[in-house]
PDB file of all heavy atoms in Angstrom:
ATOM      1  N   ILE A 377     -38.892   1.653  28.675  1.00 98.00           N
ATOM      2  CA  ILE A 377     -37.626   2.378  28.533  1.00 98.00           C
ATOM      3  C   ILE A 377     -36.885   1.698  27.397  1.00 98.00           C
ATOM      4  O   ILE A 377     -36.552   0.510  27.482  1.00 98.00           O
ATOM      5  CB  ILE A 377     -36.765   2.309  29.827  1.00 98.00           C
ATOM      6  CG1 ILE A 377     -37.595   2.673  31.063  1.00 98.00           C
ATOM      7  CG2 ILE A 377     -35.537   3.209  29.689  1.00 98.00           C
ATOM      8  CD1 ILE A 377     -38.083   4.084  31.123  1.00 98.00           C
ATOM      9  N   MET A 378     -36.649   2.441  26.330  1.00 98.00           N
ATOM     10  CA  MET A 378     -36.165   1.850  25.082  1.00 98.00           C
ATOM     11  C   MET A 378     -34.932   2.588  24.552  1.00 98.00           C
ATOM     12  O   MET A 378     -34.779   3.785  24.789  1.00 98.00           O
ATOM     13  CB  MET A 378     -37.275   1.939  24.026  1.00 98.00           C
ATOM     14  CG  MET A 378     -38.504   1.111  24.346  1.00 98.00           C
ATOM     15  SD  MET A 378     -38.212  -0.633  23.983  1.00 98.00           S
ATOM     16  CE  MET A 378     -39.059  -1.421  25.358  1.00 98.00           C
ATOM     17  N   PRO A 379     -34.096   1.891  23.796  1.00 98.00           N
ATOM     18  CA  PRO A 379     -32.950   2.549  23.156  1.00 98.00           C
ATOM     19  C   PRO A 379     -33.378   3.243  21.870  1.00 98.00           C
ATOM     20  O   PRO A 379     -32.550   3.708  21.097  1.00 98.00           O
ATOM     21  CB  PRO A 379     -32.038   1.361  22.816  1.00 98.00           C
ATOM     22  CG  PRO A 379     -33.006   0.242  22.548  1.00 98.00           C
ATOM     23  CD  PRO A 379     -34.139   0.438  23.523  1.00 98.00           C
ATOM     24  N   CYS A 380     -34.666   3.303  21.633  1.00 98.00           N
ATOM     25  CA  CYS A 380     -35.274   3.431  20.314  1.00 98.00           C
ATOM     26  C   CYS A 380     -36.227   4.622  20.253  1.00 98.00           C
ATOM     27  O   CYS A 380     -36.967   4.867  21.206  1.00 98.00           O
ATOM     28  CB  CYS A 380     -36.069   2.146  20.129  1.00 98.00           C
ATOM     29  SG  CYS A 380     -36.936   2.010  18.586  1.00 98.00           S
ATOM     30  N   LEU A 381     -36.246   5.332  19.143  1.00 98.00           N
ATOM     31  CA  LEU A 381     -37.255   6.376  18.971  1.00 98.00           C
ATOM     32  C   LEU A 381     -38.455   5.858  18.192  1.00 98.00           C
ATOM     33  O   LEU A 381     -39.567   6.363  18.341  1.00 98.00           O
ATOM     34  CB  LEU A 381     -36.648   7.602  18.290  1.00 98.00           C
ATOM     35  CG  LEU A 381     -35.461   8.251  19.028  1.00 98.00           C
ATOM     36  CD1 LEU A 381     -35.123   9.595  18.413  1.00 98.00           C
ATOM     37  CD2 LEU A 381     -35.745   8.412  20.519  1.00 98.00           C
ATOM     38  N   ALA A 382     -38.245   4.832  17.347  1.00 98.00           N
ATOM     39  CA  ALA A 382     -39.364   4.274  16.577  1.00 98.00           C
ATOM     40  C   ALA A 382     -40.410   3.642  17.503  1.00 98.00           C
ATOM     41  O   ALA A 382     -41.593   3.567  17.157  1.00 98.00           O
ATOM     42  CB  ALA A 382     -38.848   3.236  15.585  1.00 98.00           C
ATOM     43  N   LYS A 383     -39.986   3.229  18.694  1.00 98.00           N
ATOM     44  CA  LYS A 383     -40.931   2.605  19.628  1.00 98.00           C
ATOM     45  C   LYS A 383     -41.964   3.616  20.124  1.00 98.00           C
ATOM     46  O   LYS A 383     -43.064   3.247  20.525  1.00 98.00           O
ATOM     47  CB  LYS A 383     -40.174   1.994  20.813  1.00 98.00           C
ATOM     48  CG  LYS A 383     -39.281   0.812  20.412  1.00 98.00           C
ATOM     49  CD  LYS A 383     -39.949  -0.495  20.688  1.00 98.00           C
ATOM     50  CE  LYS A 383     -39.315  -1.695  20.005  1.00 98.00           C
ATOM     51  NZ  LYS A 383     -37.899  -1.901  20.151  1.00 98.00           N
ATOM     52  N   LYS A 384     -41.608   4.904  20.110  1.00 98.00           N
ATOM     53  CA  LYS A 384     -42.573   5.937  20.518  1.00 98.00           C
ATOM     54  C   LYS A 384     -43.742   5.946  19.538  1.00 98.00           C
ATOM     55  O   LYS A 384     -44.895   6.091  19.915  1.00 98.00           O
ATOM     56  CB  LYS A 384     -41.906   7.323  20.528  1.00 98.00           C
ATOM     57  CG  LYS A 384     -40.928   7.536  21.662  1.00 98.00           C
ATOM     58  CD  LYS A 384     -40.242   8.889  21.505  1.00 98.00           C
ATOM     59  CE  LYS A 384     -39.186   9.118  22.567  1.00 98.00           C
ATOM     60  NZ  LYS A 384     -39.746   9.417  23.885  1.00 98.00           N
ATOM     61  N   TYR A 385     -43.392   5.829  18.266  1.00 98.00           N
ATOM     62  CA  TYR A 385     -44.434   5.761  17.233  1.00 98.00           C
ATOM     63  C   TYR A 385     -45.182   4.442  17.331  1.00 98.00           C
ATOM     64  O   TYR A 385     -46.417   4.404  17.255  1.00 98.00           O
ATOM     65  CB  TYR A 385     -43.796   5.921  15.846  1.00 98.00           C
ATOM     66  CG  TYR A 385     -44.708   5.483  14.721  1.00 98.00           C
ATOM     67  CD1 TYR A 385     -45.763   6.300  14.312  1.00 98.00           C
ATOM     68  CD2 TYR A 385     -44.535   4.254  14.099  1.00 98.00           C
ATOM     69  CE1 TYR A 385     -46.621   5.892  13.295  1.00 98.00           C
ATOM     70  CE2 TYR A 385     -45.386   3.841  13.080  1.00 98.00           C
ATOM     71  CZ  TYR A 385     -46.427   4.667  12.687  1.00 98.00           C
ATOM     72  OH  TYR A 385     -47.279   4.259  11.694  1.00 98.00           O
ATOM     73  N   GLU A 386     -44.410   3.352  17.497  1.00 98.00           N
ATOM     74  CA  GLU A 386     -45.025   2.018  17.490  1.00 98.00           C
ATOM     75  C   GLU A 386     -46.147   1.911  18.526  1.00 98.00           C
ATOM     76  O   GLU A 386     -47.239   1.411  18.230  1.00 98.00           O
ATOM     77  CB  GLU A 386     -43.971   0.941  17.777  1.00 98.00           C
ATOM     78  CG  GLU A 386     -44.534  -0.473  17.712  1.00 98.00           C
ATOM     79  CD  GLU A 386     -43.535  -1.531  18.156  1.00 98.00           C
ATOM     80  OE1 GLU A 386     -42.870  -1.341  19.196  1.00 98.00           O
ATOM     81  OE2 GLU A 386     -43.441  -2.563  17.481  1.00 98.00           O
ATOM     82  N   CYS A 387     -45.908   2.418  19.726  1.00 98.00           N
ATOM     83  CA  CYS A 387     -46.919   2.220  20.772  1.00 98.00           C
ATOM     84  C   CYS A 387     -48.164   3.085  20.545  1.00 98.00           C
ATOM     85  O   CYS A 387     -49.180   2.883  21.198  1.00 98.00           O
ATOM     86  CB  CYS A 387     -46.341   2.385  22.170  1.00 98.00           C
ATOM     87  SG  CYS A 387     -45.822   4.026  22.599  1.00 98.00           S
ATOM     88  N   GLN A 388     -48.066   4.013  19.572  1.00 97.00           N
ATOM     89  CA  GLN A 388     -49.262   4.815  19.249  1.00 97.00           C
ATOM     90  C   GLN A 388     -50.058   4.248  18.079  1.00 97.00           C
ATOM     91  O   GLN A 388     -51.093   4.789  17.703  1.00 97.00           O
ATOM     92  CB  GLN A 388     -48.837   6.245  18.910  1.00 97.00           C
ATOM     93  CG  GLN A 388     -48.230   6.981  20.081  1.00 97.00           C
ATOM     94  CD  GLN A 388     -47.695   8.355  19.684  1.00 97.00           C
ATOM     95  OE1 GLN A 388     -48.199   9.004  18.783  1.00 97.00           O
ATOM     96  NE2 GLN A 388     -46.662   8.794  20.379  1.00 97.00           N
ATOM     97  N   ARG A 389     -49.557   3.178  17.457  1.00 97.00           N
ATOM     98  CA  ARG A 389     -50.283   2.606  16.298  1.00 97.00           C
ATOM     99  C   ARG A 389     -51.623   2.038  16.753  1.00 97.00           C
ATOM    100  O   ARG A 389     -51.731   1.446  17.835  1.00 97.00           O
ATOM    101  CB  ARG A 389     -49.436   1.500  15.637  1.00 97.00           C
ATOM    102  CG  ARG A 389     -48.233   2.033  14.868  1.00 97.00           C
ATOM    103  CD  ARG A 389     -47.457   0.920  14.192  1.00 97.00           C
ATOM    104  NE  ARG A 389     -48.199   0.336  13.093  1.00 97.00           N
ATOM    105  CZ  ARG A 389     -47.690   0.070  11.880  1.00 97.00           C
ATOM    106  NH1 ARG A 389     -46.425   0.364  11.619  1.00 97.00           N
ATOM    107  NH2 ARG A 389     -48.422  -0.476  10.945  1.00 97.00           N
ATOM    108  N   ASP A 390     -52.633   2.200  15.898  1.00 97.00           N
ATOM    109  CA  ASP A 390     -53.991   1.776  16.276  1.00 97.00           C
ATOM    110  C   ASP A 390     -54.095   0.284  16.541  1.00 97.00           C
ATOM    111  O   ASP A 390     -54.894  -0.151  17.369  1.00 97.00           O
ATOM    112  CB  ASP A 390     -54.985   2.158  15.162  1.00 97.00           C
ATOM    113  CG  ASP A 390     -55.245   3.644  15.148  1.00 97.00           C
ATOM    114  OD1 ASP A 390     -54.953   4.298  16.174  1.00 97.00           O
ATOM    115  OD2 ASP A 390     -55.699   4.159  14.112  1.00 97.00           O
ATOM    116  N   GLU A 391     -53.284  -0.533  15.838  1.00 96.00           N
ATOM    117  CA  GLU A 391     -53.364  -1.994  16.027  1.00 96.00           C
ATOM    118  C   GLU A 391     -53.005  -2.390  17.454  1.00 96.00           C
ATOM    119  O   GLU A 391     -53.317  -3.501  17.884  1.00 96.00           O
ATOM    120  CB  GLU A 391     -52.398  -2.760  15.112  1.00 96.00           C
ATOM    121  CG  GLU A 391     -52.382  -2.394  13.675  1.00 96.00           C
ATOM    122  CD  GLU A 391     -51.393  -1.274  13.395  1.00 96.00           C
ATOM    123  OE1 GLU A 391     -50.220  -1.554  13.119  1.00 96.00           O
ATOM    124  OE2 GLU A 391     -51.835  -0.112  13.439  1.00 96.00           O
ATOM    125  N   PHE A 392     -52.288  -1.508  18.167  1.00 98.00           N
ATOM    126  CA  PHE A 392     -51.827  -1.861  19.503  1.00 98.00           C
ATOM    127  C   PHE A 392     -52.645  -1.169  20.592  1.00 98.00           C
ATOM    128  O   PHE A 392     -52.153  -0.844  21.673  1.00 98.00           O
ATOM    129  CB  PHE A 392     -50.332  -1.529  19.646  1.00 98.00           C
ATOM    130  CG  PHE A 392     -49.479  -2.205  18.600  1.00 98.00           C
ATOM    131  CD1 PHE A 392     -48.468  -1.528  17.941  1.00 98.00           C
ATOM    132  CD2 PHE A 392     -49.703  -3.538  18.259  1.00 98.00           C
ATOM    133  CE1 PHE A 392     -47.698  -2.151  16.960  1.00 98.00           C
ATOM    134  CE2 PHE A 392     -48.938  -4.180  17.288  1.00 98.00           C
ATOM    135  CZ  PHE A 392     -47.930  -3.485  16.635  1.00 98.00           C
ATOM    136  N   LYS A 393     -53.929  -0.926  20.256  1.00 98.00           N
ATOM    137  CA  LYS A 393     -54.833  -0.305  21.230  1.00 98.00           C
ATOM    138  C   LYS A 393     -56.074  -1.175  21.378  1.00 98.00           C
ATOM    139  O   LYS A 393     -56.490  -1.833  20.414  1.00 98.00           O
ATOM    140  CB  LYS A 393     -55.278   1.084  20.757  1.00 98.00           C
ATOM    141  CG  LYS A 393     -54.157   2.112  20.771  1.00 98.00           C
ATOM    142  CD  LYS A 393     -54.628   3.445  20.232  1.00 98.00           C
ATOM    143  CE  LYS A 393     -53.477   4.446  20.237  1.00 98.00           C
ATOM    144  NZ  LYS A 393     -53.742   5.615  19.439  1.00 98.00           N
TER     145      LYS A 393
END
Side-chain angles (χ1 to χ4, degrees):
I377 311 294
M378 295 282 141
C380 180
L381 301 191
K383 294 261 165 51
K384 288 175 184 286
Y385 164 76
E386 183 187 46
C387 68
Q388 295 175 30
R389 288 182 70 134
D390 287 342
E391 312 89 89
F392 304 136
K393 291 177 181 165

